[in-house]
Amino acid sequence: MRVLDYTLILALCFSGVQAAETKPLKPCIITSKSGLTFDLNTIAVQPLHDGKKSHKDDREGSWIARGYDYGSNFTLNFCAPVIEELENVVGVDENLWRNVSAYYTKRGKTYSIGQTSTNPVLRGRKLVLNYTGGSPCESSTSRRSIDLLDAAKNTDDDEEDNPRPPKGGSRSVRRKSTIISLLCDRELAVKATVAFVGASEDECTYFFESRSAAACGGVSEELQAVGPAGVFGIIALIAAAVYIVGGVAYQRTVMHQRGWKQLPNYSMWASMVSFVRDMLIILTSSCARILPSRRGYNQLPTHTGRGRGATRAEDENRLIDQLDEEWDD
């Protein structure tokens, strides 16, 4: 039981260290309740540096979705603005043109269908990315609102104190939005594919479906508190703990063993320890024989009985002669 307690203490300590070292997530990354991490930054298209690709998989333009019967194709990006330069976006302030993440062109006009969002959402098992704050929806109310917005831009400086419509438009203006449903597909030859599903009747909401390996989930580098060697070591420790705890439980309850014999495969481990000990003894003895013998005074033999004085004198003379020979050498 002590082994089980030590294992639990070790697991709790490791979990505490891991929680302390967990780094905050980057934008466009979300973690599910099961622990899977979805990183959409891998499919976001970034502008090319000096017009050159840093990787062979880099794209020269944003993602394109064919509109088919809608009459226009759609250009969009994931968690980032489109890399194309936009001008004269209908119903959107000029300072927001660079933040458009999805748009289409129709009858020579550019319509935004959503501003950049870096917050994907998990609705059950569905990974969804939602863009809002696009061009005003095509309706009589929105057209009047567009006229009011254009008129407000041309007002004099004396009317700056009057309230202007907020970034997303006034309450009476409904703006276009985009919903992208991302599906897991690990067999794609490209990073992602985007397909247009449909639009609402008032052309205010547009639905897309994207397939990518980024929607399959995995372990993010931001969440990895240890490296590959650390992960391998943790797995080895867990396996060893399960082996020891399970073996001790079996030997104790089924085989009724006590003491060291509770360990699983005790005889095998004991023979291994004995083998290592014998090898150490052999190596130590071999090294001792190789070392040169010590030189110096030898212990004089002790004699009892008669002639003790003469024998002692002979021993002393013999020892002196031996020392003389050693000094001569």
Side-chain angles (χ1 to χ4, degrees):
M1 296 300 292
R2 291 183 178 179
V3 176
L4 180 60
D5 294 339
Y6 294 154
T7 304
L8 293 176
I9 292 173
L10 179 62
L12 290 174
C13 292
F14 170 73
S15 61
V17 172
Q18 185 179 23
E21 295 180 354
T22 300
K23 299 179 181 179
L25 295 177
K26 289 183 178 180
C28 211
I29 298 178
I30 188 172
T31 303
S32 65
K33 294 181 180 179
S34 60
L36 290 177
T37 300
F38 302 88
D39 186 359
L40 300 184
N41 292 297
T42 57
I43 57 177
V45 181
Q46 301 297 335
L48 299 179
H49 296 285
D50 299 330
K52 298 181 180 180
K53 294 183 179 181
S54 57
H55 302 87
K56 63 178 182 179
D57 296 333
D58 290 345
R59 294 177 58 87
E60 297 179 357
S62 303
W63 300 98
I64 303 297
R66 292 181 178 274
Y68 297 105
D69 57 337
Y70 186 77
S72 298
N73 294 332
F74 299 88
T75 304
L76 51 87
N77 201 354
F78 295 95
C79 296
V82 294
I83 62 176
E84 292 78 9
E85 294 184 2
L86 301 181
E87 294 181 355
N88 300 324
V89 181
V90 175
V92 178
D93 293 339
E94 184 176 355
N95 58 344
L96 298 178
W97 292 352
R98 65 182 63 184
N99 293 329
V100 174
S101 285
Y103 74 94
Y104 67 92
T105 302
K106 195 171 186 179
R107 292 189 294 271
K109 296 183 179 180
T110 301
Y111 295 89
S112 168
I113 54 176
Q115 298 287 315
T116 301
S117 173
T118 58
N119 299 313
V121 179
L122 280 170
R123 292 191 174 94
R125 296 184 178 180
K126 296 291 185 180
L127 180 61
V128 179
L129 186 61
N130 188 17
Y131 297 147
T132 59
S135 299
C137 301
E138 295 293 336
S139 63
S140 58
T141 305
S142 63
R143 290 192 185 96
R144 289 195 300 270
S145 300
I146 294 174
D147 295 338
L148 291 175
L149 288 173
D150 294 337
K153 293 179 181 179
N154 297 326
T155 54
D156 297 332
D157 296 337
D158 297 338
E159 298 177 357
E160 289 182 354
D161 296 334
N162 295 332
R164 297 185 63 184
K167 181 175 66 175
S170 61
R171 294 183 180 179
S172 61
V173 177
R174 297 178 61 242
R175 293 187 171 269
K176 296 179 182 291
S177 61
T178 296
I179 297 177
I180 306 174
S181 177
L182 294 105
L183 305 178
C184 173
D185 193 338
R186 300 182 186 274
E187 298 180 357
L188 287 176
V190 294
K191 289 184 178 181
T193 60
V194 184
F196 173 63
V197 177
S200 60
E201 185 176 358
D202 57 356
E203 298 185 358
C204 216
T205 305
Y206 296 80
F207 302 92
F208 297 87
E209 181 181 276
S210 175
R211 293 181 177 272
S212 173
C216 298
V219 179
S220 174
E221 295 181 355
E222 297 298 323
L223 295 179
Q224 290 183 352
V226 293
V231 173
F232 178 78
I234 293 169
I235 295 174
L237 287 176
I238 294 175
V242 172
Y243 170 75
I244 294 174
V245 173
V248 169
Y250 175 80
Q251 294 289 340
R252 187 177 183 86
T253 57
V254 179
M255 304 302 295
H256 303 287
Q257 299 290 346
R258 295 294 183 270
W260 288 106
K261 293 184 178 180
Q262 294 181 95
L263 295 175
N265 300 321
Y266 169 75
S267 58
M268 180 187 71
W269 297 113
S271 62
M272 290 180 63
V273 173
S274 178
F275 174 77
V276 173
R277 182 182 60 191
D278 294 341
M279 291 299 297
L280 290 175
I281 293 174
I282 293 172
L283 293 175
T284 305
S285 302
S286 301
C287 294
R289 292 177 182 178
I290 296 174
L291 295 175
S293 59
R294 295 180 58 188
R295 292 183 177 183
Y297 292 95
N298 294 329
Q299 184 178 1
L300 296 176
T302 58
H303 300 278
T304 57
R306 298 178 180 180
R308 175 183 298 179
T311 304
R312 180 184 272 308
E314 294 177 358
D315 293 337
E316 291 178 354
N317 292 332
R318 191 183 303 110
L319 178 58
I320 292 171
D321 294 337
Q322 182 180 355
L323 293 176
D324 291 338
E325 293 177 357
E326 292 180 357
W327 288 338
D328 292 337
D329 295 339

